[in-house]
Amino acid sequence: MATATAWSLHIHTADLKRAAPDFHEGAKNLSKALTTLVTTLDGLGKPWGDDKQGKEFGDAYSPQQKKIESAAGTLVLGLVSIHEAMNDLADGTVDNDQLIAGMFTEVKTGGADKAGSDGSGER
């Protein structure tokens, strides 16, 4: 017989806040590396030459270079997105915790109920 397992999601806001900057730093580092790569490769021009073999190589290489640069750019955006999402999740969790705590907090009113003899009255 299969046993059901109850899963529980525990979000620790401190862990999210602590880890989020790592993704931001990774995005910055990858972005710098990508800029260096693109600048360096573009600065080389077409070192393979314009002969038949060089042209064949360039025709095969250039589109692949652009794909690699695009993929690395997508990774940078992904890391930035993770950083922002972790911060938003941590902030949302704190807000949610405060909202839930507010639901279970006794609300104190300014004065005692002023009930009439028939049970109706001003609160």
Side-chain angles (χ1 to χ4, degrees), residues 1 9 25 33 47 60 87 89 93-94 100 103 106 108 113 116 121:
M1 177 181 350
L9 175 64
E25 189 65 27
N87 279 331
L89 180 60
T93 300
V94 169
I100 291 170
M103 291 178 189
E106 183 178 336
K108 298 184 181 188
D113 288 350

Side-chain angles (χ1 to χ4, degrees), residues 12-73:
H12 301 281
T13 55
D15 292 342
L16 290 172
K17 290 286 190 181
R18 195 170 27 254
D22 293 341
F23 288 92
H24 180 69
E25 189 65 27
K28 285 187 342 186
N29 292 339
L30 184 56
S31 181
K32 286 179 192 174
L34 177 58
T35 299
T36 300
L37 175 68
V38 170
T39 303
T40 302
L41 291 176
D42 287 349
L44 293 174
K46 297 180 179 181
W48 44 82
D50 289 329
D51 62 355
K52 183 179 185 259
Q53 186 177 11
K55 183 165 174 25
E56 288 174 0
F57 176 83
D59 289 345
Y61 172 79
S62 294
Q64 299 304 318
Q65 175 188 349
K66 297 303 174 198
K67 286 181 182 178
I68 290 170
E69 292 169 359
S70 177

Side-chain angles (χ1 to χ4, degrees), residues 73-122:
T74 300
L75 288 173
V76 170
L77 294 176
L79 290 172
V80 169
S81 177
I82 291 169
H83 167 254
E84 292 172 356
M86 290 179 89
N87 279 331
D88 290 346
L89 180 60
D91 292 342
T93 300
V94 169
D95 293 343
N96 191 48
D97 288 348
Q98 291 169 348
L99 177 66
I100 291 170
M103 291 178 189
F104 296 101
T105 301
E106 183 178 336
V107 177
K108 298 184 181 188
T109 59
D113 288 350
K114 297 179 182 175
S117 59
D118 62 356
S120 66
E122 184 179 294

